[in-house]
Amino acid sequence: MQLYVIVAQGNAQFCLVAADVGLIKSGTSTLEAALLGCRHAIYYRASAIASWFFQVWIGYKGPIGLSNLASLTVAPAAVDRKKLVFREFVLSDAQTSLLAAELVALLSDPSRQREVDEACVRLKEEMLNGAKMKGASARVAEEVICILTREELN
């Protein structure tokens, strides 16, 4: 498979709508990508000390991308990051080979494309209807409280 890659900065909405797929850094841009219908993978890399702190002191293993957090119907801590619709590659999982394999799947696997496209449409409908706004915020707040108190959510 031959790919034509454009790296862009600025005018994010235009880029997300025009893109066949996106490799999106963790943050609000993941939710923006989903709402604009951009198939994407999420990555987050940090320095060695920040990674150690995150793994040892925080210990959080749930989703970090807002497109995933807003799409959940269960507590984030109960979710296996490898089974998320918008795949996340965090810290040591943010390897070139894994990222490339996911982006190729998003470009060439019809069932994977359908899964992500349907999730984007569902999320957009739920956000436009306001049905999940409170739910997504509540889930994120519960997860933060869980991390701070080191209790597992039921």
Side-chain angles (χ1 to χ4, degrees), residues 81-133:
R81 191 178 283 141
K82 292 182 171 95
K83 295 181 181 175
L84 295 166
V85 173
F86 305 103
R87 304 277 159 75
E88 297 186 359
F89 301 89
V90 180
L91 303 175
S92 61
D93 289 337
Q95 300 171 23
T96 305
S97 60
L98 298 175
L99 293 166
E102 176 59 14
L103 294 176
V104 168
L106 289 171
L107 284 168
S108 62
D109 180 350
S111 65
R112 185 79 182 101
Q113 292 171 338
R114 191 169 31 263
E115 176 187 26
V116 173
D117 291 347
E118 289 172 358
C120 288
V121 168
R122 223 176 12 258
L123 182 58
K124 186 174 183 176
E125 288 172 353
E126 290 166 347
M127 292 291 176
L128 287 173
N129 294 331
K132 289 197 96 171
M133 291 301 283

Side-chain angles (χ1 to χ4, degrees), residues 43-102:
Y43 77 98
Y44 178 78
R45 292 285 313 244
S47 67
I49 194 150
S51 296
W52 176 84
F53 183 79
F54 187 79
Q55 292 170 333
V56 173
W57 287 94
I58 306 290
Y60 180 71
K61 294 182 179 21
I64 61 169
L66 287 178
S67 53
N68 282 319
L69 287 168
S71 300
L72 293 177
T73 57
V74 297
V79 175
D80 178 358
R81 191 178 283 141
K82 292 182 171 95
K83 295 181 181 175
L84 295 166
V85 173
F86 305 103
R87 304 277 159 75
E88 297 186 359
F89 301 89
V90 180
L91 303 175
S92 61
D93 289 337
Q95 300 171 23
T96 305
S97 60
L98 298 175
L99 293 166
E102 176 59 14

